[in-house]
Structure formats: C-alpha cells, structure tokens
Amino acid sequence: MAKKFPLFHPFSRRLHIILLCMIGFFCTTFMRIHFALTMTCMVNSTALAVKNEANSNITLIEEIDLVSNGKCGATDEDGHQKIVVDYGGELIWTSYEQNLIFSGTFWGALVTVLPSMFFIERFSPRHVLQIAVAVYIVITVITPFLATHFGYFAVFIARVGMGLGEGFIIPTNNAIIGNWFPSSEKSTALSIFTLGNQIASAGGSPVVAAICASELGWAATFYFAGIFATIWSVIWFFTASSHPSKVKMMTKKEREYLLENVVKKVHKSKKSPSVPYAKILTSSAFLAQLQCQFFVNLIMTLFQIYLPAYFKEVLHLGVIANGTFTSIPNIFNMIFKIVWGIGIDKCKEKKILSDTAAVKISHGFASYGGAFSLLLLAFFVDCSNPTTALFIFCLMYCSMGTFVSGFYTSLLSLAPQYTATMSAISMFCAMIGRLSTPAFASVLRKEGTASEWQNIFIGLALAHIISGSIFLVFGSGDLQEWAKTEEQETELTEKEKLKDGVVEEVDVRIERIATLVKEDSLCL
C-alpha cells in the first residue's frame, strides 16, 4: 500500500494543479461578476431617476469615498423627493436593460453546459478549459467598445457569447479535480478551488471601485481583467495536466499514492464505460444535489450581481465603501470555508464522520445559517446601521462557505467515473438557477427600495430552508451502488478471495497440525 503523500507540501503536484484551477476560476469569475460593480459606475443614476420619476424632485448624492452617514432619505410634504447616489456614469440603461445584460452569460451557458460533457470525454479537459477562458478574454476586452458605440443590446449579445465559454468552466474543473484527488481530499480541494469565487469579490471589488473612482474610468476594469486572465492562460498552457499519469515532473511517492487512491484512472486500452443516464437521473441522492444547485446558484448569483446595487440603493454607500463592503464578507467566507473543509476531511479520514454525515452536516449548517442571516437582514437593517448589515453579511457568507463541503462534495462523490456527465447535468440546473436570478430580481425589485429588498431576503431565506431540508433527507456522500465499476468489483472480489485464501491457509495449517498429532499418537 502506497504511503500518503501530503497535499500541503512544496512538491505536491496536485497542490500546484488545484492552485492553478483556483486562479483560473478567479479569472473567469472576475471577468463575469465585476460587471455588477462596474455597472453602478457606468450608469447615470441621476438621468435614470429623472427619466423614471414623473416628479423629478430628487436629492443627489455624488459621494464616492464615504457612506452617507446614516441618512436614509428625505421627502417633501407629498412624499415625492428621493435620494439618488450617483457614481458619475454616462450610460442611461434602465433596470430592465441591466437585468437583460446580466442574464446574457446564463443564456449562453445554458446552451453549452450539457454538450460540454461530450467534449470533456473526447478531448483533454485542460485544453477545453483553455479555449473557454480564451472566449472570456476576448469578450471582456471588447465590452467597453460595444457599450459606448452600440448600446446595451450589443453588450447582451457579447455576454451570451461569454456564456458559451462559461458552460465549460465548472465541468472541466470538476473532471480535473476528480482525476487528481482521492475522496478523502475532495472537500479540501473543492474549498481551495472555489476560493477563486471569493477572491474575485474580496480582492476584485476594491480594485474595481478604485479604478472606477480614478481617472482611468470604468472601461479600464475590463482591460485589467483581460490582461490578468491572459497571463494565467499562458502559465496554464505550459504547466497544467488533466491527469497525474500524464505528468513527468512529480515525485515517485505522490505518483504511487495517486494511482492507488484516486478512483478514476485513465486506461487507454479500455473503452470508457457507457453512461447509465437512467440510473443517474433517477438517483434520489443526485436529484437532491440538483435542486441544491438550482437554489444555491440563484441565491449566490443574486448577491454577486445585485449586492453592489443594494449597498448603493438601500444603504447609500459611496463607490469606495461599496467595493469595501462587497469584499469583506468574501474574506470571511474564504477563511471559514478552508478551515471547515480541512476539518471535515480530517473527521472523515479518522472515521469520526461518514462521507454522507459530513456532506449533510455541512449543507445543513450552510442552509439554515444562511436563512437565519437573511431574516436578520430583512427585519433589522436599513441605511441607519450599515455596519450592522456588514456584520450580518459576514455571518451569512461564513455559513454559506460550507456549501462546498456539502452538496458540491456530494456531486463528486456519488459516481466519480461519471463526473463529467453528472457535472454537466448539475451545471445545467445551476445555469437555470442563475438565469432565474434576473427574472426573480426584476419581479421584486422595481425601484430598489428597502421594502423590496426585504421581500427578496425573506424569499431567499425560505428557499434556503426548503432546499436544505430536502438535501438532509435524500442527500448522500457515498459511492452509489449503480456507480461501482468492474474494476472496483474486481478489487472487492480479490479482497474476498484473499480473505478466503487466508482462511484456507489457516485450515490447512490446522489440518497439518492435527495430522502430526495423530502420527505422534500412533508412535506413542
């Protein structure tokens, strides 16, 4: 039996791979979500308010460095006066047009997320990911030109093109992680990988806010994102690999450990097993995971896209404060997610928790903790106490950081050899959830008032409770019976034979001893 080679080691090749995947995920997430904060800088809020209001009696706040000191608004005798926070944008895009642009990537991803599994099974996930990121880069760099010269609909079409690449991001990364990490390390690996999501907000939001407030203007945020992603793409091309068996620069100990412990292995001489679609789509554990994908992606996408708008519309934060408030909860999420993931894996390794118990505890903590925080936001926060809002958001992001060790780990544990297929189906549900986000927001958020946001938070809390309860009943973190490969069955058979052999050997020894005793008795 190969001795375990530690994950956190300077020469750990799988650590290098997961860090590369994490940075790549940061690049794609940043190119997609920085638009949320950049949009607040692009849009002329004053002109839009005048356009929307029958009575244009408004109070303008052009505050870019500080919060509005708890000033919740002012109204005249007829109640028509309205506070508008303006970051100095020049584009007059309505809420409908903004929502349409935000939905663009989700429409594109919906087209490619299911076909992505066929590409991943036939081509190297490493190369598929490379091409997908290249699509991101091109669309990101040309977006400022399209916005200023052709308007919102051209930007929407471009975002649909970006979405075509997005459909490949998660399935390819999941396939690579499935190839590189044993089940005892998957929660930790996924926690590290998904850090890219939080770094994009925690590190990216202050950068975007600073660029927006500087002389460079909002367009520079797109160029910055494109340049950073290009640097990553070059490094990925020369150093990454889809599977440990294809890596030349790796310690012998780690290679032996991975080949013995990673469930999914590459066998060029054997054909890939046919995918049991009927069993996958009727598996209660997988269906429980699918509904989690839908609800969690709807909720998280809403915060990624509309949280800057909430800070601007309800808490009246300036652009710098907006970027800071957006980033801080993500820092707490990163720290808590890593600590939780490592702790859960240690508990599984020491047999304190079963795989199923680990994913259910993690998911339950995330769902009910998130729901509790959302209810606090709905009933105890307004622009008079922005620091309280920040504290509650930090609490909520900490609790939701354990989703990775919950339903996401479940996805990669149910049937590792079908990771690409199941990831594609799962991401299809995730994309429907993301696509539903702008529609959900547009129904409840008409003018961005505090009461509208209260309804949004209550609705999201109920979604957390319902989704989490379903997973606690039907979710699983164990390898499913229908997913066991012939190789695994052979290994179990060999182990049984080995046990039988030991029993037979013991029986032979006893028989020989008995024979000797008889012979000795005869001699006596």
Side-chain angles (χ1 to χ4, degrees):
M1 183 176 179
K3 186 178 179 181
K4 181 178 180 180
F5 189 86
L7 171 61
F8 295 101
H9 187 280
F11 299 112
S12 172
R13 196 71 180 88
R14 63 193 190 282
L15 177 61
H16 302 160
I17 289 294
I18 198 63
L19 289 176
L20 272 175
C21 290
M22 181 265 288
I23 298 172
F25 194 41
F26 158 78
C27 292
T28 54
T29 303
F30 181 63
M31 285 186 284
R32 176 169 52 85
I33 72 168
H34 83 84
F35 211 154
L37 182 53
T38 306
M39 181 73 80
T40 63
C41 301
M42 297 167 66
V43 174
N44 188 325
S45 299
T46 306
L48 191 60
V50 172
K51 180 180 178 181
N52 291 337
E53 292 287 328
N55 185 331
S56 59
N57 186 19
I58 63 173
T59 297
L60 174 65
I61 298 178
E62 293 183 345
E63 186 176 0
I64 61 173
D65 292 318
L66 304 173
V67 300
S68 56
N69 297 321
K71 187 177 181 181
C72 288
T75 58
D76 58 14
E77 295 178 355
D78 297 326
H80 290 306
Q81 193 169 359
K82 178 183 177 182
I83 282 196
V84 174
V85 182
D86 199 313
Y87 293 170
E90 68 270 20
L91 303 176
I92 305 176
W93 289 348
T94 64
S95 295
Y96 167 79
E97 292 165 347
Q98 293 177 44
N99 288 331
L100 184 66
I101 291 171
F102 288 142
S103 70
T105 54
F106 310 139
W107 282 112
L110 202 63
V111 174
T112 57
V113 68
L114 284 179
S116 69
M117 60 186 175
F118 299 105
F119 286 91
I120 295 169
E121 289 173 356
R122 287 161 177 76
F123 303 100
S124 168
R126 167 196 167 207
H127 293 143
V128 174
L129 181 60
Q130 185 100 50
I131 295 171
V133 174
V135 172
Y136 264 82
I137 294 171
V138 172
I139 298 300
T140 298
V141 172
I142 66 172
T143 295
F145 178 79
L146 295 176
T148 54
H149 290 79
F150 297 98
Y152 80 93
F153 194 74
V155 177
F156 165 72
I157 297 299
R159 299 284 287 184
V160 172
M162 178 182 283
L164 297 177
E166 184 180 355
F168 292 92
I169 300 299
I170 297 296
T172 50
N173 279 293
N174 284 350
I176 292 170
I177 293 171
N179 287 342
W180 273 91
F181 291 89
S183 59
S184 62
E185 294 179 349
K186 276 180 179 158
S187 291
T188 302
L190 288 172
S191 296
I192 296 172
F193 164 64
T194 54
L195 277 179
N197 201 355
Q198 283 70 51
I199 295 174
S201 295
S205 295
V207 172
V208 171
I211 294 175
C212 281
S214 71
E215 295 180 356
L216 296 174
W218 58 263
T221 62
F222 293 90
Y223 305 138
F224 172 81
I227 292 170
F228 194 91
T230 301
I231 295 171
W232 172 88
S233 189
V234 172
I235 296 172
W236 177 264
F237 180 80
F238 287 106
T239 61
S241 177
S242 299
H243 196 277
S245 64
K246 299 180 180 180
V247 177
K248 294 180 180 179
M249 296 181 65
M250 184 192 297
T251 63
K252 184 179 178 180
K253 290 182 179 179
E254 185 178 21
R255 188 186 302 276
E256 291 175 352
Y257 170 71
L258 292 179
L259 292 178
E260 183 174 324
N261 291 277
V262 176
V263 175
K264 184 178 180 182
K265 302 174 184 179
V266 174
H267 295 284
K268 294 183 179 180
S269 59
K270 295 183 180 180
K271 294 182 179 179
S272 298
S274 58
V275 180
Y277 291 103
K279 292 181 179 179
I280 289 174
L281 295 175
T282 55
S283 169
S284 59
F286 183 60
L287 293 176
Q289 193 276 333
L290 289 185
Q291 62 87 25
C292 290
Q293 280 282 19
F294 174 84
F295 284 111
V296 171
N297 275 273
L298 186 152
I299 294 167
M300 297 307 296
T301 301
L302 188 139
F303 286 118
Q304 285 181 338
I305 293 178
Y306 295 101
L307 192 57
Y310 170 76
F311 288 146
K312 180 181 179 181
E313 295 169 350
V314 178
L315 301 189
H316 299 164
L317 304 186
V319 63
I320 299 299
N322 198 326
T324 304
F325 271 53
T326 302
S327 68
I328 291 176
N330 286 281
I331 296 173
F332 281 84
N333 181 284
M334 286 190 296
I335 297 171
F336 193 80
K337 177 168 61 176
I338 288 292
V339 172
W340 182 279
I342 294 174
I344 282 290
D345 278 343
K346 289 292 183 183
C347 290
K348 289 190 290 185
E349 187 178 346
K350 294 180 179 180
K351 308 300 182 184
I352 298 174
L353 292 175
S354 66
D355 291 340
T356 295
V359 297
K360 286 188 175 183
I361 290 173
S362 299
H363 195 85
F365 185 84
S367 294
Y368 298 127
F372 176 71
S373 301
L374 284 164
L375 292 176
L376 291 179
L377 287 171
F379 294 107
F380 297 101
V381 170
D382 58 28
C383 64
S384 65
N385 55 351
T387 53
T388 302
L390 178 61
F391 174 79
I392 296 174
F393 272 113
C394 291
L395 179 67
M396 181 179 69
Y397 272 58
C398 278
S399 63
M400 291 199 297
T402 65
F403 271 134
V404 174
S405 299
F407 82 98
Y408 200 172
T409 299
S410 172
L411 171 62
L412 301 191
S413 303
L414 300 177
Q417 69 274 28
Y418 305 123
T419 295
T421 300
M422 295 174 67
S423 293
I425 297 171
S426 185
M427 281 308 300
F428 182 78
C429 290
M431 290 305 164
I432 295 177
R434 294 181 187 181
L435 189 59
S436 303
T437 302
F440 174 79
S442 63
V443 170
L444 297 179
R445 174 180 167 265
K446 301 293 185 182
E447 299 179 359
T449 62
S451 60
E452 289 174 349
W453 277 100
Q454 183 183 52
N455 293 333
I456 289 174
F457 291 148
I458 294 172
L460 296 181
L462 292 175
H464 264 314
I465 294 170
I466 294 170
S467 175
S469 300
I470 292 173
F471 187 83
L472 288 182
V473 175
F474 298 104
S476 175
D478 295 324
L479 178 68
Q480 302 298 288
E481 287 295 326
W482 51 265
K484 290 180 179 178
T485 62
E486 293 180 4
E487 182 181 347
Q488 289 170 314
E489 291 175 358
T490 302
E491 287 178 0
L492 291 173
T493 304
E494 288 177 354
K495 288 180 180 178
E496 290 175 0
K497 287 181 179 179
L498 183 60
K499 290 179 181 178
D500 292 340
V502 172
V503 173
E504 289 176 3
E505 189 176 341
V506 171
D507 290 340
V508 170
R509 288 178 181 175
I510 293 172
E511 187 176 346
R512 286 178 180 176
I513 291 171
T515 303
L516 289 172
V517 169
K518 287 180 181 179
E519 290 176 354
D520 289 342
S521 299
L522 288 171
C523 291
L524 288 172

